[in-house]
Amino acid sequence: MGTADTEPPAVRRRSRLGRWVVAHPPAAYVVLAYVLSWGYWVPLALAGQTVEAGVGRPSQLPGLLGPLVAAVVVTALVDGRAGLADLGRRMTRWRVGWWWLSVVAVLAVGAVGLVVVGGPPDAADLTLYSGIDAAAGPLLTVVLALVVNGLGEETGWRGFLADRLLRRHGLTATALLVAAVWAPWHAPLFVVMASFSGFTVPEVLGWVIGLTAGSVVLTWLYRGSAGSILLVAVWHIAFNLTSGTPGTAGTVAAISSTVVMVAAVVVVVADRRRRR
């Protein structure tokens, strides 16, 4: 009796592509996330478009939804309604106790950095976000960033990919595996976004190291909060606001990034000791 004869009818009815997705959910997610995001960003890059902070058009934001859409599609194909319901619960899980202090901590680091440099020349620069019109105002800007950038990325990278990898790997290995595909996913943004396009080779390497450290911290937060996608999305945006806006450029961003790198080292060491 062949393998196909022993499979459930619902599985046998799937197309070859559908069966591959079911057999390899993480790989299917990564491919789809790239296709969706790059499908929007690459045409912008080829057209010579540049995304500026505080300017709404052109915007990189639609491409940031690629990981979320990919996570939803692959979850629906692999786990059906039950999987989608679970994903939705994790996207809105806010009862995570003291883990919310991590968001306060990253904002506090940014505040300390601002004190060190004497504050930004213009307070409005603190919430100027790439791809969002400054006319939206600080509150709406943060909300849009959280929904599109925070949940758009974290539903996929942590809520889907890290969540599945953690079932078979430890925290550190999972974080590094996610970083290995998360970092190259940003590649078109180095052409499209003004804040990235001027990076030198050493700055790109520093960015990769920072992203890898962020992957470690975010994976630790995700696992510790019992899978709260909402928490890691809020943390992600809090970090972006303290390191990636015109008001926090330079010294403030360097302080925030350094603290995250140190935190990542602490997490890796603690994870190694725990596994021993």
Side-chain angles (χ1 to χ4, degrees), residues 21 24-26 28-29 32 69-79 160 164:
V21 170
H24 307 282
Y29 158 77
L32 186 55
V69 176
V72 169
V73 171
V74 177
T75 297
L77 290 173
V78 175
D79 299 323
F160 184 90
R164 288 183 177 267

Side-chain angles (χ1 to χ4, degrees), residues 154-220:
E154 294 304 329
T155 300
W157 300 119
R158 249 58 58 180
F160 184 90
L161 187 57
D163 187 81
R164 288 183 177 267
L165 292 177
L166 282 169
R167 302 173 190 178
R168 306 180 66 177
H169 304 283
L171 187 153
T172 300
T174 292
L176 294 178
L177 287 169
V178 172
V181 291
W182 187 27
W185 171 80
H186 289 82
L189 296 180
F190 283 86
V191 179
V192 172
M193 292 181 63
S195 58
F196 285 0
S197 60
F199 276 20
T200 62
V201 172
E203 287 174 328
V204 172
L205 292 176
W207 177 87
V208 171
I209 293 171
L211 179 139
T212 303
S215 183
V216 170
V217 173
L218 284 165
T219 302
W220 173 69

Side-chain angles (χ1 to χ4, degrees), residues 91-106:
M91 289 177 68
T92 56
R93 181 171 295 156
W94 62 273
R95 293 184 177 180
V96 294
W98 67 272
W99 289 96
W100 282 112
L101 293 177
S102 62
V103 177
V104 177
V106 75

